[in-house]
Amino acid sequence: MKSVFKAARSFALGAAACLPLLAPTLPLRAIPEADALKKLAVIPVFLITNEQGSPIPIPQGDKNLLLPMFLDQAKAQKELDAFNKANPAAKARVTPIPMNLANDKVNEINKKLTDKKLVAPVISSDADMAKAVELLRKQGVSEKDINEGLSVPVFFSKPFITINTPKGTKAVFFLSYSDAAAAAAKIQGTKVEMLAADLTVALGRMIESKNDEFVFYPTQAFFKLMQEQGQGGAAKP
């Protein structure tokens, strides 16, 4: 796994937490980089935005702007409550955006900035981060590599858990340990070992995969949003 973390750091150019840096130039691409990033469409992130849905970055010193991207809606709501308390006239809200589109938004904003840089860390749940650290330690990864290489934990298994898709059978990366463990528990007759890595590792593996072999499993937030949208659509005349 240590070599995998070295790969992760090269994919992320030393800054795995920031979505704009998940897409450096990579050699030997089996699928286009953009196609790999599109797979993040089933992973919504929750941003603090204005009423029109435009992100509201938070100033960090003189040079940086911070835009946290939360995987956990409750965590985003807590951040919003603190923001609204400090900025009562802002009329801010929490807005869900697919991670791939959030990545595009951050890149667009950074292109327009001349004297500042927008930093957009993806914030996982505390439980998933703790579980990833636990698994990585069991996998023999050093504390130094964990601290430097783990920003957005993903979970997978050995052998890989697979699902059937319209494009064939695909191996799965999960952004939630509970989802990964639940899927592993359904496998009969095979011992499944749960493993963890950083999101950059999963994206790198997808890009290098010869036959487009991998997908991300939709998060529970994705299913919830799809259900809410379906109910909203049904309510319309």
Side-chain angles (χ1 to χ4, degrees), residues 22-64:
L22 288 176
T25 301
L26 293 174
L28 302 176
R29 297 177 191 171
I31 67 170
E33 180 182 291
D35 287 353
L37 290 172
K38 284 179 182 178
K39 294 175 184 285
L40 293 168
V42 297
I43 312 296
V45 291
F46 297 90
L47 312 183
I48 295 177
T49 72
N50 60 21
E51 291 181 311
Q52 290 72 44
S54 297
I56 302 177
I58 302 170
Q60 297 287 298
D62 296 330
K63 295 295 183 181
N64 287 333

Side-chain angles (χ1 to χ4, degrees), residues 31-100:
I31 67 170
E33 180 182 291
D35 287 353
L37 290 172
K38 284 179 182 178
K39 294 175 184 285
L40 293 168
V42 297
I43 312 296
V45 291
F46 297 90
L47 312 183
I48 295 177
T49 72
N50 60 21
E51 291 181 311
Q52 290 72 44
S54 297
I56 302 177
I58 302 170
Q60 297 287 298
D62 296 330
K63 295 295 183 181
N64 287 333
L65 299 171
L66 179 67
L67 182 66
M69 298 186 175
F70 297 92
L71 291 172
D72 183 350
Q73 186 174 4
K75 214 168 187 178
Q77 186 62 48
K78 185 176 180 180
E79 184 74 14
L80 174 66
D81 292 342
F83 180 85
N84 281 335
K85 186 175 182 180
N87 304 274
K91 296 183 180 180
R93 67 179 188 179
V94 169
T95 301
I97 302 176
M99 192 184 290
N100 62 315

Side-chain angles (χ1 to χ4, degrees), residues 26 29 36 65 73 130 133 138 155 161 170 183 223:
L26 293 174
R29 297 177 191 171
L65 299 171
Q73 186 174 4
V133 171
K138 289 181 180 178
F155 304 93
I161 295 167
K170 306 289 184 181
F223 290 123

Side-chain angles (χ1 to χ4, degrees), residues 147-199:
N147 291 334
E148 293 179 0
L150 180 63
S151 294
V152 185
V154 295
F155 304 93
F156 58 104
S157 64
K158 183 180 179 181
F160 268 99
I161 295 167
T162 60
I163 60 173
N164 294 323
T165 76
K167 295 184 179 180
T169 302
K170 306 289 184 181
V172 184
F173 287 104
F174 298 84
L175 272 83
S176 162
Y177 178 77
S178 61
D179 288 344
K186 296 177 182 178
I187 298 176
Q188 302 294 324
T190 301
K191 183 179 180 181
V192 177
E193 180 184 4
M194 298 305 302
L195 302 169
D198 188 72
L199 176 62

